[in-house]
Amino acid sequence: MQHIFYFADLFGVAVFAITGALMAGRKSMDLFGVLVIAIITALGGGTLRDLILDNHPVSWIRNDTYILVASLASLGTVVWVRMTQPIHERGLLIADAFGLAVFTVIGTEVALQHNVPYSTAVIMGVITGVAGGVMRDVICNEIPLIFQKEIYATACIVGSLVFIAMRALDTPHWLDTGLAMLIVLLIRLAAIHWRLGLPRFHLLDRD
Amino acid sequence: MQHIFYFADLFGVAVFAITGALMAGRKSMDLFGVLVIAIITALGGGTLRDLILDNHPVSWIRNDTYILVASLASLGTVVWVRMTQPIHERGLLIADAFGLAVFTVIGTEVALQHNVPYSTAVIMGVITGVAGGVMRDVICNEIPLIFQKEIYATACIVGSLVFIAMRALDTPHWLDTGLAMLIVLLIRLAAIHWRLGLPRFHLLDRD
Amino acid sequence: MQHIFYFADLFGVAVFAITGALMAGRKSMDLFGVLVIAIITALGGGTLRDLILDNHPVSWIRNDTYILVASLASLGTVVWVRMTQPIHERGLLIADAFGLAVFTVIGTEVALQHNVPYSTAVIMGVITGVAGGVMRDVICNEIPLIFQKEIYATACIVGSLVFIAMRALDTPHWLDTGLAMLIVLLIRLAAIHWRLGLPRFHLLDRD
């Protein structure tokens, strides 16, 4: 079980790194920029969570597999795009939904281990899932997509709540983890498929 | 006294959350974006201060009242704007000045408890007062207002210095706290009323 | 030796603060904005490294010389530019290369003292060298220059690797430090002189 979780985590790192590399490519960055944006996208959310929770050492500073996976994924993206033009957008979105599911559950679990209130655990799940992408967008000078697009963070919130509820019921670990991830995944896939979104808040600028 | 301070802190959180929600509305974010920007604006400054000072646990991760107040204030803002168009700009500015005063004094006091030099305590007062607003503006892809507008951070610096001087003189706690907050408030209100500003530094771009 | 190192560090702080002040001037910020951007540029990289490594207290919160040097350098820049228009661009680039060399070696050394893997030590060298500049650019609403310009972070990476290799060989401290700094400096100067750059990754936006 622990192994599956670890590999799922690394898969999430790889997928998020790819989305970072693609954004860097859209901004015509050089290879170093691609690498940095990819690493920040993949590891930024978990790092921010660990700093706020005082959960040291931050995972990737002791185990260099994380950085290695993010680097390889981003370089692989550059090679892939150079060789064959098309990116399978939908495939990437689905992979990203899977990464989001893994990160959300991991973030919520780490927070629960620090005995914080449930609301904080949900926030830590959301931070782990989305903060890397927000950093990517901010550094690349874009307003973060997740604040404007279809339901994204909402999937995190629901998945995190389900995870917390099931942990409180003391269900087997594979069941709460699996179900919470599945729910994040399904909400994201439904949102992508039917282009579901939250209501927007439009405020006219009258300055 | 402690109670008044706590409620003043929550009032500051609410006011800053409202400014965050309004900025998110100007960027046409969805409800989740409004919530996140509001929470970051309200709690970002104190969180950054706590991380740099190694002051754990960060206040809001143990006490979910902070997140709750920020969330309610931002949702209330959305409802309010939807129902009745106008925002009372001047009222908001005055409330914001009050929030700034509270946050500055709290930030300075937390720093003093960590036995840092006075200059660092002033910086922590400023960070607590303004960093949340800077994060709001950066995420929303705006150059931070406080680096360009009327006197804002200067009010923090002066208030923080007054607080430190009075603590060194061992005045009663209600007096140093109250006076420092009053000074921040008065400087801000004067700056708003007469549109006072610091001199600008214009450098032509000759690239 | 320790003294030389400390003064080199302060020199790096001053140089980075100047680049921050100049960027703030290009954005027509007020004096406070200039000060803040200068301080963030000068101390942001080291602060982020210390937070991630849990290396407390962060250097500048106990020793206010750092903030003082950054402040004086930025105010000096404003006075200088007001009095005499021209900035000696090339001189600034060379000074910046020297600051980068110092920060990279310091960052790598601090990381090694925390017994992290070599790859993490390199990343900490890079963060110390470049993260302040990235923060400066992000806050000023620019895509970070170092992801698009001539070889910059690559110089950090090579210098950091040389430093690590020589520490593993137990060479005298003045030798590994000096040589690693020299290498960063030479790579940067060569990149500036011949306008060397990494290959770019262009991805057309087809949305």
Side-chain angles (χ1 to χ4, degrees):
Chain A
M1 184 61 204
Q2 207 57 35
H3 282 294
I4 297 178
F5 217 54
Y6 181 59
F7 284 113
D9 191 10
L10 290 179
F11 181 83
V13 166
V15 172
F16 277 37
I18 292 173
T19 71
L22 290 174
M23 171 66 88
R26 262 182 221 129
K27 300 288 172 175
S28 300
M29 290 191 180
D30 65 21
L31 276 181
F32 174 76
V34 171
L35 209 63
V36 171
I37 300 296
I39 290 174
I40 291 175
T41 310
L43 301 175
T47 303
L48 182 59
R49 176 203 64 218
D50 287 345
L51 292 183
I52 294 176
L53 286 176
D54 200 24
N55 181 41
H56 290 283
V58 172
S59 57
W60 55 267
I61 74 170
R62 295 282 172 200
N63 177 353
D64 52 11
T65 312
Y66 290 98
I67 297 284
L68 189 71
V69 167
S71 304
L72 289 179
S74 63
L75 296 179
T77 305
V78 173
V79 172
W80 174 269
V81 169
R82 291 242 162 141
M83 278 172 28
T84 75
Q85 278 294 334
I87 298 281
H88 194 297
E89 293 277 355
R90 182 149 288 228
L92 189 65
L93 275 174
I94 294 170
D96 179 83
F98 185 77
L100 186 73
V102 179
F103 280 20
T104 301
V105 171
I106 291 178
T108 309
E109 184 165 39
V110 170
L112 288 178
Q113 285 163 1
H114 281 72
N115 295 315
V116 294
Y118 291 149
S119 60
T120 303
V122 172
I123 291 173
M124 293 300 153
V126 173
I127 286 178
T128 311
V130 313
V134 171
M135 292 178 197
R136 173 197 64 207
D137 294 348
V138 167
I139 295 178
C140 291
N141 214 352
E142 301 274 337
I143 292 185
L145 268 178
I146 65 145
F147 299 152
Q148 302 184 298
K149 258 196 343 186
E150 335 84 83
I151 284 166
Y152 193 95
T154 311
C156 291
I157 295 174
V158 176
S160 187
L161 286 171
V162 167
F163 183 74
I164 291 170
M166 293 187 74
R167 291 310 295 269
L169 296 175
D170 240 338
T171 53
H173 204 34
W174 64 267
L175 185 61
D176 46 42
T177 305
L179 191 69
M181 283 178 51
L182 190 68
I183 282 173
V184 177
L185 199 59
L186 288 180
I187 295 179
R188 263 309 279 159
L189 295 183
I192 294 167
H193 190 73
W194 288 291
R195 296 178 178 272
L196 305 177
L198 289 180
R200 296 263 191 122
F201 175 37
H202 292 285
L203 186 64
L204 293 182
D205 208 340
R206 282 152 306 181
D207 293 340
Chain B
M1 183 64 203
Q2 207 57 37
H3 282 295
I4 297 178
F5 217 55
Y6 181 57
F7 284 113
D9 191 10
L10 290 179
F11 180 83
V13 166
V15 172
F16 277 37
I18 292 173
T19 71
L22 291 174
M23 171 66 89
R26 263 183 221 125
K27 301 288 172 176
S28 299
M29 291 191 180
D30 65 22
L31 276 180
F32 174 76
V34 171
L35 210 64
V36 170
I37 301 294
I39 290 175
I40 291 176
T41 309
L43 301 175
T47 303
L48 182 59
R49 175 203 65 218
D50 287 346
L51 293 183
I52 294 177
L53 287 176
D54 200 24
N55 182 42
H56 290 283
V58 173
S59 57
W60 55 267
I61 73 171
R62 295 281 171 200
N63 177 353
D64 52 12
T65 312
Y66 291 98
I67 296 285
L68 189 71
V69 167
S71 303
L72 290 179
S74 63
L75 296 179
T77 306
V78 173
V79 172
W80 174 269
V81 169
R82 291 242 164 141
M83 279 172 27
T84 74
Q85 278 295 335
I87 298 282
H88 195 298
E89 293 277 356
R90 183 150 287 227
L92 189 64
L93 276 174
I94 293 170
D96 178 83
F98 185 77
L100 185 73
V102 180
F103 279 20
T104 300
V105 171
I106 291 177
T108 309
E109 184 166 37
V110 170
L112 288 179
Q113 285 162 2
H114 281 73
N115 295 315
V116 294
Y118 291 149
S119 60
T120 303
V122 173
I123 291 173
M124 292 301 153
V126 173
I127 287 178
T128 311
V130 312
V134 171
M135 293 178 197
R136 171 198 65 207
D137 294 347
V138 167
I139 295 178
C140 290
N141 214 354
E142 300 276 336
I143 292 185
L145 267 178
I146 66 145
F147 300 152
Q148 303 183 298
K149 256 195 345 183
E150 338 82 85
I151 285 167
Y152 193 96
T154 311
C156 291
I157 296 175
V158 176
S160 187
L161 286 172
V162 168
F163 183 73
I164 291 171
M166 294 187 73
R167 291 309 295 270
L169 296 174
D170 240 338
T171 53
H173 204 35
W174 63 268
L175 184 61
D176 47 42
T177 305
L179 191 70
M181 283 177 51
L182 190 68
I183 283 174
V184 177
L185 199 57
L186 289 180
I187 295 179
R188 262 310 278 159
L189 295 183
I192 294 168
H193 191 72
W194 289 292
R195 297 179 177 270
L196 305 176
L198 290 180
R200 296 263 191 121
F201 176 38
H202 292 285
L203 186 64
L204 294 181
D205 208 339
R206 282 153 305 183
D207 293 341
Chain C
M1 183 61 202
Q2 207 57 35
H3 282 294
I4 297 178
F5 217 54
Y6 181 58
F7 284 114
D9 191 9
L10 291 179
F11 180 83
V13 166
V15 172
F16 277 36
I18 292 172
T19 71
L22 291 174
M23 171 67 88
R26 261 181 222 129
K27 300 288 172 175
S28 300
M29 290 191 180
D30 66 21
L31 276 181
F32 175 76
V34 171
L35 210 64
V36 171
I37 300 295
I39 290 174
I40 291 175
T41 310
L43 301 176
T47 303
L48 181 59
R49 175 204 64 217
D50 287 345
L51 292 182
I52 294 177
L53 285 176
D54 200 23
N55 180 42
H56 290 282
V58 172
S59 57
W60 55 267
I61 74 169
R62 295 282 172 199
N63 176 353
D64 52 11
T65 312
Y66 290 99
I67 297 285
L68 189 71
V69 167
S71 303
L72 290 179
S74 62
L75 296 179
T77 305
V78 174
V79 172
W80 175 269
V81 169
R82 290 242 165 143
M83 278 173 27
T84 75
Q85 278 295 334
I87 298 282
H88 195 298
E89 292 277 356
R90 182 151 287 229
L92 188 65
L93 276 173
I94 293 171
D96 179 83
F98 186 78
L100 185 73
V102 179
F103 280 20
T104 300
V105 170
I106 291 176
T108 308
E109 184 165 38
V110 171
L112 288 179
Q113 284 162 2
H114 282 73
N115 295 315
V116 294
Y118 290 148
S119 60
T120 303
V122 173
I123 290 172
M124 292 301 153
V126 173
I127 287 178
T128 311
V130 312
V134 171
M135 293 178 198
R136 172 197 64 206
D137 295 347
V138 167
I139 295 177
C140 291
N141 214 352
E142 301 274 337
I143 292 186
L145 267 177
I146 65 146
F147 299 153
Q148 301 183 299
K149 256 194 348 183
E150 336 82 82
I151 283 166
Y152 193 95
T154 310
C156 290
I157 295 174
V158 175
S160 188
L161 287 171
V162 167
F163 183 74
I164 291 170
M166 293 188 73
R167 290 310 295 270
L169 296 175
D170 239 339
T171 52
H173 204 33
W174 64 267
L175 184 60
D176 46 43
T177 305
L179 191 69
M181 283 178 50
L182 190 67
I183 282 173
V184 176
L185 199 58
L186 289 180
I187 295 178
R188 263 309 280 158
L189 295 183
I192 294 167
H193 190 73
W194 287 292
R195 296 177 177 272
L196 305 176
L198 290 180
R200 296 263 192 120
F201 176 37
H202 292 286
L203 185 63
L204 294 182
D205 207 340
R206 281 151 306 180
D207 292 341

